[in-house]
Amino acid sequence: MKSRVTIYWLVPLGLILGMFLVIPLFYMVVSSFQLDGSNQWTLANYRQSLTNPYYYQSFANSSLIAFVSSIVGLLGALIFCQALLALPKRAQERLTLFSNLAANFAGVPLAFGFIIMLGNAGVLKLLLPIFAEFDLYSWKGLVLTYVYFQIPLATLFLYPVIKKVKREWQESAELFGASSFYYWRRVVMPFMAPSLTGTFIILFVNGMGTYETAYALVGSNINLVTTRISALVAGDVYAKPNVGSALAVLFALSMIVVIGLSQKVMKQVRKEVA
């Protein structure tokens, strides 16, 4: 009886997944093999996606911004987690709650906030001369905006792990004459290596898939794969939805490859640590 009730509850969930995930994904894959307008079966969309320099430049730009923001986000999260451990427990709980909120604060509101602070007539630009030459509407501005939510997201994954690092390990290392740098390099980093690898992959995929923030901040001025897909699917002047579907399929496959390779790397790291 309980199993039947469980199945009945799963039916609405299955319908939602089917309408908003499975059916659009199926339609995207099918349309990627059809010509725009005529719906004839073809591979021309994939040939165009793979041979047009403008399209694979978008992959390169997205990868660069995602990589740099992931590295900076990872380093910032490590510093932030280390600072959290020096605070009282109640303060740690409040700041981790703030990290959870900041990790989900993205999209148009985040871009609007940065425009107010660092735009052409931003508050910080008017008050602090050091920001006078900073161009928010460039790839450096995108990296800075991405880092805002990459650091809190990395903190959510790294904070529980770094809490497991025992103070006795450092005391034992100091008794044997090890420096702080040696302790971090030979003790802490090997212990955290699987978590660092997994967190970096999550940050990288998150940076690659970011659309709303990038579009609200730079529009099509910077050639990113997410904004390029949007322009092809919903563009008013140069709309090619089937080519956009092919580009989206290639983007999804590249993310699957990245995640698959990361799983192998994480297994290898775990074996070496063990």
Side-chain angles (χ1 to χ4, degrees):
M1 184 66 181
K2 290 183 178 180
S3 60
R4 289 184 179 180
V5 174
T6 303
I7 293 175
Y8 292 151
W9 277 105
L10 289 176
V11 170
L13 178 62
L15 290 175
I16 293 174
L17 289 177
M19 289 187 296
F20 294 99
L21 182 63
V22 178
I23 294 177
L25 182 62
F26 175 78
Y27 177 78
M28 180 184 72
V29 174
V30 171
S31 63
S32 68
F33 290 98
Q34 296 177 334
L35 286 174
D36 291 297
S38 62
N39 291 333
Q40 295 179 356
W41 297 100
T42 181
L43 294 175
N45 298 326
Y46 286 96
R47 284 198 298 268
Q48 185 174 353
S49 299
L50 294 172
T51 57
N52 192 328
Y54 195 61
Y55 292 152
Y56 56 74
Q57 183 194 52
S58 66
F59 279 93
N61 292 338
S62 295
S63 300
L64 175 63
I65 294 174
F67 179 81
V68 175
S69 65
S70 299
I71 292 294
V72 177
L74 205 62
L75 294 176
L78 285 173
I79 297 173
F80 182 61
C81 290
Q82 191 64 21
L84 276 178
L85 296 178
L87 298 175
K89 187 175 181 180
R90 181 173 295 181
Q92 293 182 28
E93 294 175 352
R94 292 177 178 177
L95 288 174
T96 51
L97 176 61
F98 172 77
S99 297
N100 191 10
L101 295 175
N104 293 281
F105 183 71
V108 177
L110 177 61
F112 181 68
F114 269 89
I115 290 172
I116 292 175
M117 300 303 295
L118 288 169
N120 293 333
V123 176
L124 293 180
K125 274 197 170 185
L126 296 177
L127 296 179
L128 302 176
I130 190 175
F131 293 107
E133 301 299 326
F134 182 77
D135 185 10
L136 180 64
Y137 310 106
S138 63
W139 77 272
K140 293 181 181 179
L142 276 181
V143 169
L144 178 63
T145 310
Y146 283 23
V147 166
Y148 181 87
F149 57 80
Q150 295 281 49
I151 290 179
L153 181 61
T155 300
L156 297 179
F157 292 101
L158 296 180
Y159 177 65
V161 179
I162 204 170
K163 280 184 67 176
K164 296 180 181 179
V165 178
K166 299 179 180 178
R167 187 172 299 176
E168 290 81 1
W169 297 354
Q170 185 174 6
E171 294 175 353
S172 300
E174 290 175 353
L175 286 175
F176 284 100
S179 62
S180 298
F181 176 76
Y182 185 86
Y183 163 72
W184 273 88
R185 184 171 64 89
R186 301 293 295 179
V187 179
V188 179
M189 286 305 174
F191 173 75
M192 296 187 62
S195 299
L196 290 172
T197 304
T199 303
F200 173 78
I201 296 301
I202 292 174
L203 296 182
F204 181 81
V205 173
N206 185 47
M208 285 285 293
T210 299
Y211 167 69
E212 296 93 345
T213 303
Y215 183 78
L217 198 62
V218 299
S220 299
N221 294 332
I222 296 180
N223 188 20
L224 302 177
V225 63
T226 50
T227 57
R228 188 53 40 214
I229 293 172
S230 173
L232 288 169
V233 172
D236 295 331
V237 179
Y238 194 67
K240 289 187 175 182
N242 291 10
V243 177
S245 297
L247 203 62
V249 171
L250 293 175
F251 177 64
L253 291 176
S254 64
M255 292 296 96
I256 293 174
V257 171
V258 169
I259 294 174
L261 292 176
S262 69
Q263 293 296 323
K264 291 184 178 181
V265 171
M266 289 177 64
K267 289 180 180 179
Q268 185 65 29
V269 170
R270 289 192 180 99
K271 289 181 181 179
E272 294 178 356
V273 173

